[in-house]
């Protein structure tokens, strides 16, 4: 018999409030991907991110795909992105034939703006007629330096998209991380800060981008009595039931952010491990610390797993992924590789108790 319950990496933080909100959606009889809960969820997302418009979708990946369609990403497009990220950041651009240019991180894990500038200058010299798209990632909820990257986007006439999938609620210099760029992407996957089980969104200040994304997410149907289509769209809309779950989660967001911050502070005070440089704005989605070596990192994960505690390494950089071997361009990359080799994502669920945190820290410090 186990003496402790399993500790998951980042489980959903839900209670009766979510069930009550979902019941209201059922009672409204709006079950399909439309309805008042979706409308209200979009209004609140726009307000949270300081944007004019939000489009609720089935996933963060769907949001990225729609933005790749919006900005006509194809084989004549160069897409710049951090190498330290989840594959969904660049998958849509890669499938569309774009040239993928991967950029190293700074020690926070976010894209290094100085390396990005060198990459932009080099690629501009080699691609005189190509279109540029910059895709940044607020890694593990740490907000990028949007001001510096926005200036680069303007100088190089590049579209700027912020992949803020992991950063709902994060701010930088008092501004929402999802305020950055022409548009930003959010995710509400089951392990994120707030969840709709599966879901995502596009947020933007452009009415055109929002309207076209909403239309394309519903198979690009024209406003006719019959089904008429002038383009091929997607089935990417968020359901009204899941939007109801999201509304209840938004009600908890401030409390969730405070709980995650306390968890990070506990780790920082009690672990004998190095922490990547702290950014001015973050939502503490996952607490990430560095072991002395890859072998030590692997040992920590192994021993925690033996104690029924879920952890995982930091993302494996995209330039090291077999699927992209010899198919992408990488600028530097050593910092991203080091963060992958030494970094471990620790349990960060909002319901973690101090007793559980002490148990985790004791095990790690013994290793």
């Amino acid at each position: 018999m186990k003496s402790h319950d399993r500790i998951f990496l980042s489980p959903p933080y839900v209670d009766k409030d979510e069930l009550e909100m979902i019941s209201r959606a059922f009672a409204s009889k709006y079950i399909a991907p439309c309805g008042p809960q979706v409308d209200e969820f979009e209004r609140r997302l726009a307000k949270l991110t300081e944007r004019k418009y939000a489009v609720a979708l089935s996933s963060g990946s769907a949001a990225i795909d729609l933005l790749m369609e919006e900005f006509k990403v194809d084989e004549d497009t160069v897409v710049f992105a951090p190498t330290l990220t989840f594959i969904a950041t660049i998958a849509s651009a890669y499938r569309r034939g774009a040239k993928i240019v991967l950029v190293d991180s700074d020690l926070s894990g976010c894209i290094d703006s100085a390396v990005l500038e060198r990459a932009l200058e080099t690629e501009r010299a080699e691609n005189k007629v190509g279109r540029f798209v910059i895709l940044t990632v607020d890694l593990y909820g740490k907000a990028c330096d949007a001001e510096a990257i926005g200036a680069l986007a303007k100088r190089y006439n590049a579209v700027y998209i912020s992949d803020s999938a992991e950063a709902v609620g994060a701010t930088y210099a008092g501004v929402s991380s999802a305020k950055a760029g022409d548009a930003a992407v959010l995710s509400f996957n089951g392990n994120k800060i707030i969840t709709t089980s599966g879901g995502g969104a596009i947020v933007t200040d452009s009415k055109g981008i929002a309207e076209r994304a909403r239309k394309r997410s519903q198979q690009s149907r024209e406003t006719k009595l019959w089904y008429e289509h002038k383009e091929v769209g997607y089935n990417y809309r968020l359901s009204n039931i899941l939007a109801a779950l999201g509304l209840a989660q938004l009600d908890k967001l401030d409390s969730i952010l405070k709980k995650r911050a306390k968890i990070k502070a506990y780790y920082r005070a009690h672990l004998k491990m190095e922490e990547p440089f702290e950014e001015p704005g973050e939502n503490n989605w996952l607490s990430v610390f560095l072991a002395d070596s890859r072998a030590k990192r692997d040992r920590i994960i192994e021993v925690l797993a033996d104690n029924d505690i879920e952890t995982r390494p930091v993302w494996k950089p995209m330039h090291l992924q077999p699927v992209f071997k010899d198919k992408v361009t990488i600028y530097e990359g050593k910092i991203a590789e080091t963060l992958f080799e030494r970094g471990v994502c620790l349990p960060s669920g909002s319901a973690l108790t101090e007793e559980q945190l002490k148990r985790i820290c004791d095990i790690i410090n013994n290793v």
Side-chain angles (χ1 to χ4, degrees):
M1 177 179 288
K2 294 180 181 179
S3 58
H4 299 280
D5 292 333
R6 178 165 173 74
I7 298 176
F8 292 96
L9 183 69
S10 181
Y13 184 64
V14 296
D15 57 27
K16 60 180 177 58
D17 295 333
E18 281 75 12
L19 187 58
E20 180 180 340
M21 193 70 78
I22 291 170
S23 297
R24 290 184 199 172
F26 268 103
S28 75
K29 303 189 186 305
Y30 284 98
I31 309 299
C34 63
Q37 278 76 17
V38 171
D39 296 340
E40 178 62 17
F41 190 49
E42 289 179 339
R43 283 192 291 269
R44 291 185 61 179
L45 289 177
K47 182 178 180 180
L48 173 69
T49 58
E50 303 170 56
R51 291 288 203 172
K52 293 181 179 179
Y53 308 98
V55 182
L57 302 165
S58 57
S59 68
S61 298
I64 292 175
D65 203 25
L66 286 170
L67 289 173
M68 296 299 100
E69 180 78 13
E70 168 68 23
F71 294 110
K72 298 178 172 57
V73 170
D74 59 16
E75 63 273 7
D76 294 322
T77 311
V78 183
V79 174
F80 300 80
T83 188
L84 194 64
T85 185
F86 181 52
I87 193 171
T89 301
I90 62 172
S92 180
Y94 178 79
R95 285 194 297 267
R96 291 165 184 266
K99 178 178 181 180
I100 306 297
V101 174
L102 299 173
V103 178
D104 204 0
S105 305
D106 59 27
L107 286 176
S108 73
C110 293
I111 195 166
D112 188 317
S113 57
V115 180
L116 174 61
E117 183 175 6
R118 291 198 292 274
L120 286 161
E121 186 62 29
T122 302
E123 294 298 323
R124 182 168 67 176
E126 296 179 359
N127 297 274
K128 299 186 185 302
V129 296
R131 296 188 302 275
F132 283 4
V133 173
I134 298 172
L135 253 173
T136 61
V137 176
D138 298 322
L139 196 77
Y140 299 123
K142 294 177 182 285
C144 290
D145 186 348
E147 184 176 352
I149 296 164
L152 288 174
K154 185 175 182 180
R155 187 193 314 170
Y156 289 91
N157 194 29
V159 171
Y160 175 13
I161 298 170
S162 174
D163 181 351
S164 298
E166 301 171 355
V168 173
T171 59
Y172 188 99
V175 178
S176 168
S177 63
K179 180 70 172 172
D182 298 280
V185 170
L186 306 177
S187 173
F188 313 113
N189 194 27
N191 64 359
K192 294 299 192 294
I193 282 282
I194 63 170
T195 184
T196 57
S197 179
I202 291 171
V203 291
T204 181
D205 292 324
S206 167
K207 183 178 180 180
I209 290 174
E211 288 182 344
R212 288 186 292 272
R214 186 173 286 109
K215 180 180 178 182
R216 287 173 178 143
S217 72
Q218 299 177 95
Q219 302 291 13
S220 291
R221 182 187 178 186
E222 301 296 324
T223 52
K224 301 281 188 181
L225 290 176
W226 52 89
Y227 282 80
E228 182 161 324
H229 307 270
K230 295 181 180 178
E231 66 175 352
V232 176
Y234 307 82
N235 182 18
Y236 280 166
R237 203 71 165 110
L238 185 71
S239 85
N240 199 60
I241 297 299
L242 297 187
L245 175 57
L247 287 171
Q249 287 276 281
L250 282 175
D251 289 340
K252 289 185 170 68
L253 180 57
D254 287 345
S255 173
I256 288 171
L257 293 175
K258 290 175 183 177
K259 290 176 185 293
R260 299 266 178 159
K262 287 182 178 179
I263 290 166
K264 171 66 78 61
Y266 189 96
Y267 282 137
R268 192 177 289 134
H270 294 87
L271 280 178
K272 303 171 185 176
M273 293 180 75
E274 181 184 352
E275 182 185 6
F277 291 165
E278 184 179 359
E279 288 295 282
E282 59 178 321
N283 66 359
N284 300 296
W285 172 48
L286 292 183
S287 292
V288 179
F289 288 83
L290 304 180
D292 295 335
S293 65
R294 181 168 183 168
K296 186 66 68 68
R297 190 277 312 274
D298 291 348
R299 180 61 180 158
I300 288 170
I301 293 174
E302 178 185 1
V303 172
L304 288 170
D306 289 343
N307 284 272
D308 225 10
I309 299 171
E310 182 185 19
T311 58
R312 71 182 184 202
V314 164
W315 299 122
K316 183 175 183 178
M318 292 298 102
H319 71 277
L320 299 180
Q321 297 289 350
V323 68
F324 298 129
K325 182 176 175 59
D326 301 323
K327 296 176 182 177
V328 297
T329 300
I330 176 68
Y331 282 80
E332 301 189 20
K334 292 300 181 184
I335 291 179
E337 291 174 15
T338 298
L339 291 172
F340 162 62
E341 290 173 353
R342 295 174 53 198
V344 56
C345 302
L346 299 178
S348 305
S350 303
L352 277 172
T353 65
E354 186 169 333
E355 180 184 359
Q356 290 173 318
L357 288 168
K358 181 180 185 304
R359 180 175 162 232
I360 293 166
C361 291
D362 287 347
I363 292 171
I364 292 174
N365 288 335
N366 285 337
V367 173

